[in-house]
Structure formats: structure tokens, C-alpha cells
């Protein structure tokens, strides 16, 4: 063995060590479980809660990482809040963190909708659901309006270009009641060309493919094959896989696609059952798209619920984990950073536009308008936690329906 001499000093590595997260994976999973169990308001509110809790209060996630995650989640198909949760898990703990964060975020609301599905089948419907939604739907508008305001104030700031993108995206969403990926891409390209126009240089080599393993979530659905026939489960899995892989936009954007498939094409549910499924999504915490678990349960019991949820969330996991290394590696470059800022501004504009869209559907009379204003005041002025506001407004909805019907 050769011993280093004075003329041959011991080589010292100059590679920068990987930064150690200021939180453990257990800490992050505990938070995701809590958010999935108590986070009301759909994707608009949930992405705001993640920014408030993980960026501002705990400071586990940097503002840059959050913006990158929000931009990627908005560009990729699938549920917005779940994709952001997966990306934030990837930031500190790579693929295992992404996978476990996604599962922890989805599991609480999945168990809730399965329990409601069992009660729905056992007792022949849940007539109280619409009464609860009468109050909860209005309260949700106050919750997401508060989240959208804070997210806008923090992210857009006083940048005139980002404000222009934000207003255009918000107006387009409010008018068309749709979110389009081309608008987000166009916003990113616009800010990129204005702030960091490309220069003709030698193109660097493409990075090597990043290895990753597929999620173990498929094991949860496979166990039901002995109980429910594979042909039906295969149809359910294929349909919800398409729903998760090809539907862009957050929150209720997936509802028309689901309606066309489960009611019109396959005839798995009636119109009344589908409307109840949408109501379940709105009165339970976590991602709105978790209604697929309720729909799957009505079609084929617990195996159907597992297959529907797996089919919906597996694509969004893949669409987040696969490009995440490239976002992490190249996201700080001026051109990429400008593109991400443009997409983020358009995404937040779409979120604010969605507040208007959902408000038109949920605020239908004077009582619901008063509930929305009261919920906003309770959260903004008196700092009441969102779950307590939702519970109170759900009780008010039940009371109003009992008195006036």
C-alpha cells in the first residue's frame, strides 16, 4: 500500500455534501397524515396550508422548492395537492419520501370515504349529506379565499409581469371554468423570454436517467382479486388510470370526466349516486379527487375502492417522481427559474379564479353568503382553525335544512 508523502498529499474531495434536511421523514409523514385528516377546502386550500405550515412556520421547505413543486404539479396531469405533497416528500428524502408522503396524505381521507361508502350501501343512501354540504360548501369558499389571498401576497409580491400573468390566468379560469395546461406553459415561456432570454450556446449533455422504484401501493388493490372478479376490477383500474393520467386541472376538474365514464359510458352509478359521491368529496378532508374511493366502493366494494384510488394516484406519483430530479438539478438556472416563476404565477391565478367558480356553485342564497363571510372572518380575524369552522358550518347546514324543509 502506498503511503502519501509530502509531495503527494492525501486527496481531499471537493464535492459539496448533500444538505441534511432539518426534519425527519417521520416528522414529514406525521404532518401529511394530519393534513390529510384535517385539511378541508380542496386543492386550493391544501396547497396554501402546505406553504403556510412547511415554508413559513416550520421552514422545512424553501420557497424555491415549493415554487418548483407547485409548477410541476400544475403542469402535470392529476390531482394538484397530492402531487405537491409527493414532490415535497421528494425534496428531503427522494423516492421513498415521495412515495410515503403521498400515501400518508391520501390514506386518512381514503379511509373516511370508504367508511361513508359502507354506510351509504348499508343504509340505502345518506340524505343528510346534502344538508351538511349546504353549510360546508359555503364555508369552504371562505377557507380557500383566505388561502388564495395569502398565497398571492407571498408569491406574486410587486412584480408587474407576474401580476399580469396572474390576472390573465385568473380571469381565464373564472370565465371558462377550466384550467388549461397550455396557459401555464405559455406563461412560463413568456416570463422566461422576458427575464432570461436564451442564448445560443453549446448544448450540454442530457443527464443520465435517474433510477427509481415503483410504488408498493399496488399491493393494496391486488388482495381484492379473490373477492371481486378480475374483469370488473380491470375495467375500473383502466378507467381510473386514464382519469389520473389524462385529466389536467385541480379539484373538480376531474368530475366531468368521471361522470361521463361511471354514469354515461359504463352505467356503474346513477345520477343521484354520482352527486352524492361529489358531496362526499366536499365534506371530507384531503384531496377532492379522493371521491374515486367512494365511487369504487359503490361499484365493487373495498377492492373496487382500492383499485380506483390506485389507478387515479399512481400516474400522478409517476409524473412527479420522474421529472423531480431534473427540477432539483436545473431549477436554479436563470431560464428555468424564470419559467417556473411564470408557471407559478399562472397557477396561483388559476387558484384564485377557481375561488370564483366554486363560489358561484356554493353560494346560492343569503344564508350561504353569510356562512361564507362568517367563515372567512373566523379564520382571518379570529384565527379559528379550519376543521372547527367546517364542523360548525356543517352543523348550521343541518339545522337550516331541518328548520326550513
Amino acid at each position: 500500500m502506498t503511503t502519501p508523502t509530502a509531495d503527494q498529499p492525501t486527496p481531499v474531495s471537493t464535492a459539496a455534501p448533500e444538505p441534511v434536511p432539518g426534519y425527519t421523514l417521520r416528522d414529514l409523514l406525521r404532518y401529511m397524515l394530519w393534513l390529510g385528516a384535517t385539511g378541508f377546502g380542496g386543492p386550493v386550500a391544501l396547497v396554501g396550508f402546505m406553504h403556510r405550515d412547511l415554508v413559513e412556520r416550520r421552514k422545512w421547505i424553501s420557497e424555491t422548492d415549493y415554487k418548483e413543486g407547485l409548477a410541476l404539479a400544475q403542469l402535470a396531469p392529476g390531482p394538484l395537492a397530492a402531487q405537491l405533497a409527493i414532490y415535497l416528500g421528494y425534496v428531503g428524502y427522494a423516492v421513498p419520501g415521495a412515495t410515503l408522503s403521498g400515501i400518508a396524505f391520501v390514506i386518512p381521507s381514503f379511509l373516511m370515504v370508504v367508511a361513508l361508502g359502507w354506510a351509504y350501501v348499508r343504509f340505502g343512501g345518506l340524505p343528510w349529506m346534502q344538508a351538511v354540504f349546504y353549510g360546508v360548501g359555503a364555508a369552504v369558499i371562505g377557507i380557500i379565499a383566505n388561502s388564495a389571498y395569502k398565497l398571492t401576497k407571498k408569491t406574486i409580491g410587486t412584480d408587474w409581469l407576474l401580476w399580469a400573468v396572474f390576472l390573465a390566468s385568473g380571469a381565464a379560469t373564472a370565465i371558462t371554468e377550466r384550467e388549461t395546461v397550455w396557459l401555464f406553459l405559455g406563461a412560463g415561456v413568456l416570463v422566461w423570454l422576458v427575464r432570461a432570454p436564451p442564448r445560443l450556446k453549446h448544448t450540454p449533455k442530457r443527464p443520465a436517467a435517474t433510477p427509481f422504484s415503483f410504488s408498493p401501493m399496488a399491493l393494496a388493490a391486488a388482495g381484492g382479486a379473490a373477492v371481486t372478479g378480475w374483469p370488473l376490477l380491470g375495467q375500473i383500474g383502466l378507467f381510473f388510470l386514464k382519469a389520473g393520467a389524462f385529466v389536467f386541472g385541480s379539484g373538480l376538474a376531474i368530475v366531468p370526466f368521471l361522470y361521463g365514464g361511471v354514469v354515461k359510458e359504463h352505467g356503474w352509478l346513477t345520477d343521484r349516486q354520482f352527486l352524492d359521491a361529489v358531496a362526499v368529496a366536499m365534506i371530507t378532508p384531503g384531496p377532492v379527487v379522493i371521491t374515486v374511493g367512494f365511487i369504487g366502493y359503490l361499484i365493487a366494494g373495498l377492492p373496487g375502492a382500492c383499485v380506483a384510488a390506485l389507478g387515479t394516484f399512481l400516474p400522478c406519483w409517476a409524473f412527479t417522481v420522474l421529472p423531480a430530479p431534473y427540477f432539483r438539478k436545473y431549477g436554479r438556472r436563470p431560464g428555468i427559474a424564470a419559467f417556473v416563476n411564470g408557471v407559478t404565477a399562472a397557477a396561483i391565478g388559476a387558484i384564485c379564479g377557481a375561488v370564483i367558480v366554486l363560489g358561484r356553485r356554493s353560494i346560492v342564497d343569503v344564508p350561504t353568503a353569510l356562512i361564507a363571510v362568517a367563515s372567512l372572518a373566523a379564520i382571518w380575524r379570529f384565527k379559528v382553525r379550519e376543521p372547527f369552522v367546517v364542523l360548525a358550518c356543517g352543523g348550521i347546514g343541518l339545522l337550516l335544512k331541518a328548520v326550513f324543509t
Side-chain angles (χ1 to χ4, degrees):
M1 182 176 66
T2 304
T3 303
T5 65
D7 297 328
Q8 296 177 319
T10 303
V12 178
S13 174
T14 58
E18 287 292 325
V20 178
Y23 57 93
T24 66
L25 181 56
R26 180 177 297 180
D27 291 334
L28 183 63
L29 297 183
R30 189 181 296 117
Y31 170 78
M32 290 300 177
L33 281 170
W34 174 85
L35 182 62
T38 62
F40 289 90
V44 180
L46 292 172
V47 298
F49 296 156
M50 292 183 206
H51 186 273
R52 177 195 67 188
D53 297 334
L54 300 180
V55 178
E56 295 179 347
R57 293 182 178 176
R58 291 174 171 85
K59 301 188 184 304
W60 291 351
I61 304 295
S62 70
E63 189 73 41
T64 300
D65 286 328
Y66 178 88
K67 285 183 178 180
E68 290 173 358
L70 183 60
L72 176 59
Q74 198 70 60
L75 287 172
L80 175 70
Q83 286 173 305
L84 181 58
I86 291 170
Y87 186 86
L88 297 184
Y90 186 93
V91 167
Y93 292 95
V95 174
T99 304
L100 294 176
S101 292
I103 294 174
F105 179 63
V106 170
I107 277 293
S109 54
F110 174 75
L111 296 177
M112 291 180 196
V113 299
V114 167
L116 286 172
W118 174 86
Y120 190 95
V121 173
R122 176 68 176 81
F123 299 108
L126 299 174
W128 54 267
M129 196 179 295
Q130 296 299 325
V132 172
F133 180 61
Y134 178 78
V136 171
V140 162
I141 302 305
I143 293 173
I144 63 178
N146 180 65
S147 297
Y149 168 75
K150 289 185 175 180
L151 202 56
T152 302
K153 183 179 178 181
K154 179 69 177 179
T155 306
I156 305 300
T158 58
D159 190 308
W160 66 268
L161 181 57
L162 297 185
W163 267 109
V165 169
F166 166 86
L167 293 173
S169 177
T173 303
I175 293 171
T176 65
E177 299 190 357
R178 297 180 58 188
E179 296 176 8
T180 172
V181 67
W182 298 112
L183 180 61
F184 303 127
L185 287 172
V189 171
L190 173 64
V191 177
W192 168 46
L193 293 177
V194 172
R195 294 286 165 78
R199 298 177 181 176
L200 296 178
K201 287 185 177 182
H202 173 68
T203 304
K205 294 182 179 180
R206 296 179 61 185
T210 301
F212 74 101
S213 59
F214 283 100
S215 167
M217 293 169 64
L219 298 177
V227 180
T228 305
W230 270 113
L232 178 58
L233 285 181
Q235 291 178 22
I236 294 171
L238 181 61
F239 171 75
F240 285 98
L241 192 69
K242 290 190 293 183
F246 297 108
V247 176
F248 287 86
S250 58
L252 297 176
I254 199 174
V255 169
F257 184 91
L258 295 180
Y259 178 79
V262 303
V263 178
K264 296 297 184 182
E265 180 181 353
H266 295 287
W268 288 329
L269 300 185
T270 65
D271 284 324
R272 177 74 268 163
Q273 289 173 323
F274 186 80
L275 289 175
D276 288 342
V278 176
V280 164
M282 296 303 295
I283 66 174
T284 51
V288 171
V289 77
I290 200 59
T291 189
V292 299
F294 184 86
I295 293 172
Y297 190 94
L298 297 190
I299 299 171
L302 182 59
C306 293
V307 169
L310 176 67
T312 303
F313 287 100
L314 186 57
C316 86
W317 176 86
F319 287 137
T320 305
V321 169
L322 283 172
Y326 303 94
F327 264 68
R328 298 282 295 154
K329 186 173 183 179
Y330 298 107
R332 273 69 172 181
R333 293 187 175 183
I336 301 298
F339 178 83
V340 168
N341 286 337
V343 174
T344 303
I348 296 174
I351 287 172
C352 292
V355 176
I356 299 174
V357 174
L358 294 174
R360 289 199 293 258
R361 295 171 181 170
S362 299
I363 301 176
V364 295
D365 51 25
V366 173
T368 50
L370 293 176
I371 291 173
V373 172
S375 64
L376 177 59
I379 296 169
W380 191 8
R381 178 69 177 84
F382 301 103
K383 310 301 180 185
V384 180
R385 299 301 295 268
E386 292 84 3
F388 298 112
V389 173
V390 169
L391 288 174
C393 293
I396 292 172
L398 278 172
L399 181 62
L400 290 175
K401 288 294 185 181
V403 170
F404 295 105
T405 56

